[in-house]
Structure formats: C-alpha cells, structure tokens
C-alpha cells in the first residue's frame, strides 16, 4: 500500500442529496500534524468519521495504518490505535466519574489496574486537572468536559490522533497546556480547528476543506 498513516483516495460522501466530500484526497504521514480548517458545515467532522469507520464513503478508498479499511471488522482493528476526540465531549464521556472515564480506555486495552492508575494520574496531571479525578463527569462545565475528553484520548496512548476542535471552549491557560502537550507528542495527528493561531503554532502543514476537497494553505 503506501507510507501514509491515513490516506483517503477520491472519497465521496453524501447525506441524501447533499454532497459533503467530493473525490477528496488526504494523506497523513508519520510525524505530521495536519491542521484542518474550513467553514461550518464544510465536512470536517464527517471526514473524521469516515477515517474511523463511523460512516462509509459512497465512493473512494480509506486506508488507515497500512491497510485499506472497508468492513466493520477492519475498523474495529483501528479503534484502539486511532485516538479520536469527538467535537462534542458528551459523545466521549459516559462514566460516573472523571477517573473512571479516563481509566476506561486503558482498562479496555487490557492494562493491569496499577498501570491504569498510573496512566490516569499522569494524564490528568499533564492537563492540570488532577483535582477533577473524583468529580461527577456529567456535572462538569463545557470546558472542564473538554479537558477530560482530551484526557480519555491521551490515556489510550494512540498511534495516531484525530482531534475535532480540541480547544473549543477552553480558556487561555488550558489552551496553552493542550497546545504544549500536542507539540510534545511524536504521533501523527489531524487537528481540526477554527483557531488559526493554534494551527500556526502546532501544525506542520495546514489545509482547508472547501467544496468537498482539501485545499493546501500556504
Ligand atoms: N447526520 C447527518 N445527516 C444529514 N446531514 C448531516 C449530518 N451530519 C452532518 N450533516 C451535514 O453535512 C455537512 C457537513 O457537516 P460536518 O459536521 O461534517 O461539518 P463541519 O465542517 O464539521 O462543521 P463545523 O465547523 O460546524 O463543526 C453539514 O451541512 C451538515 O448539516
Ligand atoms: Mg465539525
């Protein structure tokens, strides 16, 4: 196949009559942090859902981690190694407390309890939210939930990150912390954001989604 960690080849996707992606190509290579912007409704979130197989393209091919992905079984293989931060934190969080939510992924990967506890403590502290551990997830504010959602993704130590507006709703200090963390990670990532400053700080390359295709930004 190819060296790309994620590759979309001529992917077309429609919701009914509405074409959202139109023969869209995308390559994400090792070590790259691709910043993706585009107007509201241009299809950024849809593009991420196609990469992880939550929806299937009408036409075109999806390659992730060295293999073409077509069927549910193909996508099941990548749901651990591909860390997806949903645009809406409520889609990500479902456990009673923050610590349980962050522990869920690593437990599911089969890590022993002691190691999970270490990962949870380390991830929360990295994000500056160690004091959230025992809080009730659904009672958190929007920004607090955002940070916990990021923690749940980072705690999985994925091979590639798909982040849908990670800093939406975060204050300046929290945005800075998240930016520093992302900059320090070796993994390839696709970072959807409307925040140009964040993209210029973090992304190694940026593109805009326009009329169903990616247009490189210079
Ligand atoms: N489940 C759905 N059914 C029908 N249309 C949908 C559905 N989800 C999204 N759409 C439409 O597809 C288009 C692309 O939506 P998408 O959420 O991918 O945009 P986006 O670029 O992520 O926007 P935003 O910047 O607001 O997050 C929009 O016009 C939206 O209305
Ligand atoms: Mg979106």
């Amino acid at each position: 196949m190819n060296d790309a960690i994620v590759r979309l080849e001529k992917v077309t996707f429609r919701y009914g009559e509405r074409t959202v992606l139109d023969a869209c190509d995308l390559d994400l290579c090792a070590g790259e942090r691709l910043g993706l912007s585009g107007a509201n409704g241009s299809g950024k979130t849809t593009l991420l859902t196609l990469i992880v197989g939550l929806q299937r393209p009408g036409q075109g091919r999806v390659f992730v981690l060295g293999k073409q992905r077509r069927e549910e079984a193909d996508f099941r293989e990548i749901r651990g190694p591909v860390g997806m931060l949903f645009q809406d934190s409520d889609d990500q969080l479902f456990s009673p407390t923050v610590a349980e939510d962050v522990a869920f992924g690593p437990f599911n990967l089969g890590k022993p309890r002691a190691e999970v506890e270490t990962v949870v403590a380390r991830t929360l502290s990295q994000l500056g939210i160690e004091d959230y551990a025992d809080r009730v997830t659904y009672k958190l504010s929007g920004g607090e939930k955002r940070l916990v959602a990021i923690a749940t993704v980072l705690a999985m130590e994925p091979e590639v990150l798909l982040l849908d507006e990670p800093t939406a709703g975060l204050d300046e200090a929290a945005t800075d912390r998240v930016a520093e963390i992302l900059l320090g990670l070796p993994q390839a990532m696709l970072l959807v954001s409307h925040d140009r400053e964040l993209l210029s700080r973090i992304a190694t390359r940026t593109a805009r989604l326009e009329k169903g295709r990616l247009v490189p930004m210079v």
Side-chain angles (χ1 to χ4, degrees):
M1 97 117 216
N2 53 63
D3 301 337
I5 290 180
V6 176
R7 166 170 284 182
L8 301 184
E9 276 180 14
K10 300 272 172 289
V11 163
T12 295
F13 182 84
R14 297 185 184 86
Y15 290 108
E17 295 286 285
R18 187 183 166 76
T19 301
V20 178
L21 299 177
D22 184 10
C24 181
D25 290 321
L26 172 144
D27 266 324
L28 179 71
C29 298
E32 250 191 336
R33 292 190 294 268
L34 172 60
L36 182 62
S37 63
N40 292 131
S42 57
K44 305 177 298 295
T45 296
T46 302
L47 185 143
L48 298 189
T49 64
L50 291 166
I51 295 172
V52 293
L54 295 175
Q55 310 195 84
R56 303 294 150 76
Q59 282 113 45
R61 305 200 291 170
V62 177
F63 297 86
V64 185
L65 296 171
K67 256 179 71 179
Q68 189 179 353
R69 308 288 168 178
R70 272 179 279 226
E71 323 265 314
E72 179 56 25
D74 298 328
F75 287 105
R76 215 174 297 130
E77 278 177 19
I78 63 161
R79 294 214 174 110
V82 177
M84 164 104 158
L85 179 75
F86 290 96
Q87 183 166 5
D88 183 348
S89 304
D90 287 328
D91 290 337
Q92 200 111 36
L93 305 173
F94 45 81
S95 302
T97 69
V98 168
E100 286 168 285
D101 245 330
V102 180
F104 182 85
F107 260 134
N108 240 17
L109 292 175
K111 294 201 169 152
R113 176 172 294 273
E115 196 183 328
V116 172
E117 282 171 8
T118 308
V119 171
V120 170
R122 188 180 62 220
T123 310
L124 292 180
S125 131
Q126 198 183 15
L127 285 157
I129 55 170
E130 56 272 43
D131 55 332
Y132 289 17
D134 298 321
R135 290 180 66 186
V136 176
T137 308
Y138 82 88
K139 290 186 181 169
L140 298 174
S141 76
E144 289 171 332
K145 277 187 194 166
R146 201 73 200 126
L147 288 166
V148 175
I150 293 172
T152 65
V153 175
L154 295 180
M156 303 268 293
E157 300 172 321
E159 288 175 44
V160 48
L161 289 155
L162 309 177
L163 305 171
D164 203 346
E165 303 192 25
T167 60
L170 295 188
D171 65 39
E172 221 171 291
T175 300
D176 277 346
R177 279 199 303 278
V178 170
E180 283 307 313
I181 291 169
L182 297 182
L183 268 174
L185 293 174
Q187 291 99 320
M189 63 183 79
L190 209 166
L191 172 68
V192 172
S193 181
H194 296 292
D195 183 343
R196 284 189 204 185
E197 205 182 300
L198 181 82
L199 290 182
S200 70
R201 196 165 150 192
I202 294 181
T204 55
R205 179 163 73 89
T206 50
R208 244 184 102 74
L209 196 49
E210 247 176 63
K211 297 188 182 125
R213 299 204 186 154
L214 285 184
V215 183
M217 281 166 75
V218 275

